[in-house]
Amino acid sequence: MSLLVKGGTVVGPTGTHPADVLIVGEKIAAVFDPEHSAQVQADEVIDAAGKYVIPGGIDAHTHMELPFGGTAASDTFDTGTRAAAWGGTTTIIDFAVQRTGEVVQDGLAAWHAKAEGNCHVDYAFHMILGGVDTDALKAMDQLVADEGITSFKLFMAYPGVFYSDDGQILRAMQTARANGAMVMMHAENGIAIDVLVQQALARGETDPIYHGITRPPALETEATSRAIALAEVAEDCPLYIVHLSASGALEAVAAARDRGRNVFAETCPQYLYLTLEDQLGAPGFEGAKWVCSTPLRSKHENHARDLWKGLRSNDLAIVSTDHCPFCMKDQKELGIGDFSKIPNGIGGVEHRVDLVYQGVVDGQLSLERWVETIATTPARMFGLYPQKGVIQPGSDGDVVVYDPNGQTRIGVETHHMNMDHSAYEGFEVRGHVDTVTSRGRVIVADGNYHGRKGHGRYLRRGLSSYLV
């Protein structure tokens, strides 16, 4: 089976140029000057005239079916990866979970069981370490060597659930430095946050906005700086700060990078577009829709502006979603009367490509930087390049035809995620995902879905391309 994507403008990290793309089987066979297209025969032709042709998006931070706060994320691997495909994301990297007292390999096996045969697009795993001990450290080596899992997430927050102290973090970082893996860090001072939460509740401050007020930017900045210091002690262990939201945390990352350190960071669309006051502070319990950690930041400070600047300068490498959706009914409602019991998470896997493209429309990013942050850099950062993240011969046939003249209105009535609300209700994006292919198979076209559960394959990842 062959597929020709004809007449479009290919956008990649190195530039933008008119080109046709030939996919044979599951792989890109050729990218060539349109003048030669008359000589090329294909079983199927996609007309991309007037549109951008980009590599399929890679969301490097999702949480399908994650148990949290007495419930579980509402998207399964089936519904979540189908929604991802609709939005132009053809690969996700989800998080397998080990909690304190559990065997790391058992946690990985549980996530394989959730995902296998259920994914519409290709998938890989990071590994959450919720209990760093001697056995977990040995498991890190085994997962890198045998399982294609080369990144491990630690938490400076959620004492009693996922929290690791500085000694545990240092030991994990030393192990990662030796085996080449990346340490991903949820950087918030959870011990101090828990004090602020209890004090707020004692004062009767129970509304969702206090979730953000009790997780101030200073405690994200402090934890980020501490993680960077610990990684330095661990002989410059590769460190990746997840869901960075605060200006001070970004300054710490930028300063480390200026010193040549192996420090990287991501942000998420919610921190670029949503605010403490307008969303988390919505009347009544409505703000629960936007409870996530790190929290939304104040519009009266410069966080969003600085994050866009960080994306332009590459101090922020990637835009991921931290997709962890919960419905309002029976899930977010668990926190009525106590904001600390609201399940943490926002759904957005379907909207990332569009929302970052709106940054291009608004003059925040170049086209090339758009593609880097949503596709190429995630592939390079997490050991999937050049199989994923680029349109070139030999790479997987994951292609998105994106219409810059299209329009996307985001809302609960049109999205495909398993949620009873939308975090971006009413947002208008001046662009639209037109056609999506996964490994040479058309899965979205003409406003219809053509994919299937079970098409997605597990990806064994290599080491990061950014490390020497």
Side-chain angles (χ1 to χ4, degrees):
M1 181 69 182
S2 58
L3 177 67
L4 179 64
V5 183
K6 184 176 180 179
T9 299
V10 172
V11 183
T14 59
T16 301
H17 57 282
D20 293 345
V21 180
L22 178 65
I23 303 172
V24 177
E26 297 191 346
K27 299 288 185 179
I28 296 172
V31 181
F32 55 92
D33 190 312
E35 290 185 3
H36 302 291
S37 62
Q39 305 167 28
V40 177
Q41 300 297 316
D43 299 314
E44 186 176 355
V45 176
I46 296 173
D47 182 4
K51 300 169 185 175
Y52 299 126
V53 180
I54 67 172
I58 300 171
D59 193 340
H61 189 157
T62 68
H63 294 287
M64 308 301 176
E65 304 183 38
L66 176 72
F68 190 95
T71 185
S74 56
D75 262 323
T76 64
F77 279 92
D78 178 3
T79 63
T81 57
R82 186 176 186 272
W86 271 106
T89 288
T90 56
T91 301
I92 65 163
I93 312 180
D94 206 83
F95 288 83
V97 177
Q98 174 242 7
R99 293 178 181 80
T100 302
E102 296 177 348
V103 175
V104 171
Q105 289 89 343
D106 289 349
L108 175 59
W111 253 256
H112 273 299
K114 292 173 190 278
E116 188 175 3
N118 291 313
C119 292
H120 293 248
V121 298
D122 289 351
Y123 63 98
F125 293 132
H126 311 288
M127 190 77 219
I128 288 176
L129 298 180
V132 178
D133 56 20
T134 300
D135 288 340
L137 297 175
K138 291 178 180 177
M140 290 176 68
D141 290 336
Q142 190 265 320
L143 264 59
V144 170
D146 302 331
E147 303 292 341
I149 292 177
T150 55
S151 43
F152 298 87
K153 185 180 181 183
L154 302 172
F155 288 79
M156 296 171 134
Y158 305 125
V161 183
F162 290 129
Y163 174 80
S164 293
D165 64 31
D166 288 358
Q168 290 172 310
I169 290 170
L170 178 60
R171 291 181 72 195
M173 286 180 166
Q174 290 170 333
T175 301
R177 188 67 180 95
N179 64 31
M182 182 82 70
V183 167
M184 307 173 76
M185 188 64 69
H186 180 127
E188 290 183 292
N189 188 323
I191 302 297
I193 286 168
D194 277 8
V195 171
L196 296 178
V197 168
Q198 293 309 311
Q199 291 173 341
L201 292 173
R203 292 190 296 266
E205 296 167 347
T206 63
D207 287 344
I209 193 171
Y210 292 103
H211 172 80
I213 292 170
T214 57
R215 305 179 91 94
L219 294 185
E220 182 183 352
T221 299
E222 182 277 331
T224 301
S225 300
R226 182 158 41 99
I228 291 170
L230 290 168
E232 182 175 7
V233 173
E235 300 181 7
D236 198 21
C237 166
L239 175 65
Y240 180 95
I241 305 297
V242 298
H243 48 54
L244 189 149
S245 66
S247 297
L250 177 57
E251 289 172 6
V253 168
R257 291 177 58 76
D258 287 346
R259 297 194 303 272
R261 294 283 308 284
N262 281 323
V263 175
F264 312 92
E266 68 178 18
T267 193
C268 307
Q270 53 263 38
Y271 308 120
L272 300 172
Y273 290 106
L274 308 177
T275 69
L276 175 77
E277 294 83 7
D278 293 336
Q279 278 78 35
L280 199 53
F285 192 66
E286 192 75 5
K289 294 176 180 177
W290 296 281
V291 166
C292 62
S293 298
T294 53
L296 305 183
R297 300 302 182 188
S298 175
K299 65 181 180 181
H300 302 302
E301 298 169 346
N302 293 325
H303 302 289
R305 184 197 69 181
D306 291 342
L307 296 179
W308 281 115
K309 179 182 176 182
L311 287 171
R312 289 193 297 275
S313 68
N314 200 35
D315 287 322
L316 287 171
I318 290 170
V319 180
S320 300
T321 59
D322 192 12
H323 176 78
C324 192
F326 298 96
C327 292
M328 283 289 279
K329 183 173 176 55
D330 297 331
Q331 292 195 300
K332 294 284 189 177
E333 289 175 350
L334 293 169
I336 292 176
D338 183 347
F339 69 85
S340 71
K341 291 183 168 57
I342 301 170
N344 283 212
I346 286 178
V349 72
E350 187 171 350
H351 306 314
R352 181 182 62 112
V353 171
D354 286 321
L355 289 169
V356 183
Y357 180 75
Q358 186 62 40
V360 177
V361 175
D362 294 340
Q364 299 281 7
L365 297 177
S366 67
L367 280 171
E368 291 83 0
R369 189 71 184 133
W370 169 49
V371 170
E372 278 190 313
T373 57
I374 64 168
T376 309
T377 300
R380 289 172 170 163
M381 187 71 69
F382 293 112
L384 292 173
Y385 188 88
Q387 180 183 358
K388 304 289 187 182
V390 65
I391 293 179
Q392 68 180 28
S395 298
D396 281 357
D398 298 352
V399 172
V400 174
V401 178
Y402 196 85
D403 185 0
N405 298 310
Q407 194 83 3
T408 301
R409 181 178 176 84
I410 299 175
V412 68
E413 296 300 322
T414 56
H415 75 203
H416 302 86
M417 298 175 292
N418 187 29
M419 298 171 61
D420 61 4
H421 65 279
S422 172
Y424 303 95
E425 186 68 45
F427 272 52
E428 296 275 358
V429 175
R430 286 163 52 192
H432 183 68
V433 173
D434 185 81
T435 305
V436 181
T437 73
S438 171
R439 302 197 322 272
R441 176 183 178 140
V442 175
I443 57 175
V444 176
D446 303 320
N448 295 302
Y449 190 71
H450 304 281
R452 63 171 178 84
K453 181 173 74 169
H455 167 77
R457 291 178 183 165
Y458 174 66
L459 302 170
R460 294 178 179 269
R461 299 185 290 114
L463 302 180
S464 174
S465 300
Y466 290 108
L467 307 179
V468 294

